[in-house]
Amino acid sequence: MGKPGNPLRKTLVKLLVLTFLCYFFYILGSYKKSNRIDDSSYIDDPICPQLNLLIHTKTSSPNLDFEPHHRINTTFDTIDSSFFEFCSENFTNYIPCHNPLREGLFDRKKKFHRERHCPDEEEKRVKCLVPVPVGYRTPFQWPESKKFAWFQNVPSKRLVVSKQSQNWVRLEGNRLVFPGGGTSFKFGVKDYVDQIGKFIPLKSGNVRTVLDVGCGVASFGAELSDYNILTMSIAPRDIHEAQVQFALERGLPAMLGILSIHRLPYPSRSFDMAHCARCLVPWTDYGGLYLMEIDRVLRPGGYWVLSGPPINGKSSYKDWDKREKDLEEEQATLEDLAKRLCWKKVAERGSIAIWRKPTNHVHCVQNARFLKSPHFCDDANDLDAGWYKKMEPCITPLPKVKDIKTISGGALEKWSERLNAEPPRIRNGVGKSITVGNFNEDNKIWKGRVSQYAKVINSLLTGKLRNIMDMNAGLGGFAAALSKYPVWVMNVVPSDANVNTLGVIYERGLIGTYMNWCESFSTYPRTYDMIHANGIFSMYMEKCGIVDILFEMHRILRPQGIVIIRDHVDIIVKVQGIAERMKWNCIMYHSENGASHPEKVLYIDNSEPLSNSDYAQGVSTT
């Protein structure tokens, strides 16, 4: 028989084995419960079919759960937990800051009554959810939506009837059809754009951003989209109140806007081209004030296209029901004003005329007295300001250059190299707090974040999502990372942001606007498929209520739409509690910074037809 083993040695071996096993299972459990988003954890969620949110199904134990489960503490939020009520049926197309019932309160001079007029603090804010129209249907997917829309989504026949002879839009059964006609498009919008293309290099990549004033149903912007040109279409809410709504329903960028008293909500040197097809703007009135505003937002070397009265009045005065002499005098005044702005006329053919803004103001300054040009605006007057900033009858000065061949502010790359090239405003140190290194790092961060979003939101690739809003766009990194998808992004820069980055966004070939999120956005209800809000609630925490911002988001979000909110966990928790009272489906996840970081991401899906009344009965997803 062998000698008995050393008891001390056996004890040590057991301790070592036990220690190894504990360490091994600890590492295995942590690995399996990682919150990293990957394809292995991606399954369809029947509750949120459009989001298909991630659900971690593989776990070492049903008791282990490392996902965030923060809930609202009753001491933290005094709002009750009942669901919000829906507004009455007449609120279906409610736009708080463009309410026709309030227009009579404001001066009609310069059509000021059609500008933004938001309810002030003394007026009662609407605290109900805007309902969908009876029979609302999921919009056509892009690019089919460019030609078709469901009538029940925009149940207005005014344009169908009043513009029948001009072929803007037709009603065929339950569908609205957009054949590409227009007041100035006698032979269709394609022929019209072809005529412009003979004088402006639309296919070159030099023209990327366009402003269409008095856009109708945005058929001009729809045609330019085939050239990879992004058009901001604007029009007021007037007797043809649904024109901007039609544009957005088609999946085209648009917002309510008018040339009146205040500047357009865009920075200087924004657009490569501006366009007006019989837009009824009095360009020569008020000392040429409105043409000077177009000059402000045009980039150096940008084009202005005008068709319709008064161009070529000799041939068209009968069609326009005007006197030939009056049109000749009006065009002469217009030609003189364009010269005094130092614009050069490129071409005139038929009823289309094209001018080009100079690439710098060297000659303009030298010849100002000879031309009797308007005075140059004061450099101290923020030239990029576009939020409730009154227009002034002066020429917006371009950045100074010494060489007549130099492009003021810096040359832009052609599209699509422009998207990720260093914007001249950053390269020239306009935003002193933003460096080229910051810009490149921001691009890298948002590429990673959008890559994660795409794993969560499979509808990015299918065309189901088309109109996207970024409520706090920063340098436009989110929109740039989405450029490979069939979407467009309205990049919003808060008017009270510490750094004004909207000029940088336009230099990247993207579009956007200024906005104060304590007010309502200039758009119709149900016009955006997805809303992205990065830090917006933190920014406005002390300025207005979370509830008011969420009500506005609910108003502009389409049924079956998606919201992504990134913010501090304490704010996310509060937002989630309120969002659930809107019957939104919410799931919170850790950001890419990990479980210990306070930033969280809230995914919201409103895939259900939400109504506590009969107003939304019959909502269809077909």
Side-chain angles (χ1 to χ4, degrees), residues 93-99 102 115-120 125-126 130 237 255-256 265 387-388 469 471 492 495 513-528 540 544 548-557:
N93 289 323
Y94 178 57
I95 310 174
C97 299
H98 297 268
N99 189 343
R102 301 178 67 248
E115 275 206 9
R116 287 176 57 87
H117 299 291
C118 302
D120 55 31
R125 287 179 177 268
V126 172
V130 174
R237 180 172 181 165
M255 61 185 294
L256 291 164
W387 189 248
Y388 293 122
M469 175 178 286
M471 296 176 70
V492 179
S495 58
T513 183
Y514 296 117
M515 177 64 190
N516 181 336
W517 284 112
C518 289
E519 297 182 1
S520 174
F521 196 79
S522 294
T523 191
Y524 284 81
R526 303 172 303 279
T527 44
Y528 284 87
Y540 282 90
C544 50
D548 292 326
I549 296 176
L550 281 172
F551 265 79
E552 177 62 7
M553 293 169 73
H554 184 281
R555 186 184 73 85
I556 66 179
L557 186 68

Side-chain angles (χ1 to χ4, degrees), residues 563-575:
V563 179
I564 300 177
I565 300 173
R566 304 178 70 97
D567 221 311
H568 190 280
V569 61
D570 292 340
I571 292 176
I572 287 288
V573 167
K574 193 166 186 178
V575 168

Side-chain angles (χ1 to χ4, degrees), residues 110-111 259-261 281-283 285-295 391:
K110 296 184 180 179
K111 297 185 178 179
L259 285 161
S260 174
I261 289 177
V281 174
W283 296 112
D285 290 359
Y286 317 116
L289 183 67
Y290 298 148
L291 206 58
M292 293 180 204
E293 175 62 2
I294 294 298
D295 180 76
M391 286 185 274

Side-chain angles (χ1 to χ4, degrees), residues 219-230:
S219 291
F220 182 68
E223 183 64 26
L224 290 182
S225 67
D226 291 339
Y227 293 82
N228 276 327
I229 292 174
L230 202 54

Side-chain angles (χ1 to χ4, degrees), residues 232-302:
M232 177 72 82
S233 298
I234 64 170
R237 180 172 181 165
D238 57 9
I239 58 173
H240 303 138
E241 59 181 26
Q243 54 190 325
V244 166
Q245 193 175 14
F246 277 133
L248 287 157
E249 192 71 14
R250 299 176 69 184
L252 300 167
M255 61 185 294
L256 291 164
I258 188 172
L259 285 161
S260 174
I261 289 177
H262 294 102
R263 288 178 178 177
L264 296 172
Y266 317 117
S268 65
R269 296 181 284 134
S270 301
F271 297 96
D272 300 315
M273 185 171 89
H275 171 258
C276 161
R278 203 178 182 185
C279 60
L280 304 181
V281 174
W283 296 112
T284 57
D285 290 359
Y286 317 116
L289 183 67
Y290 298 148
L291 206 58
M292 293 180 204
E293 175 62 2
I294 294 298
D295 180 76
R296 183 184 73 87
V297 299
L298 271 182
R299 73 169 178 85

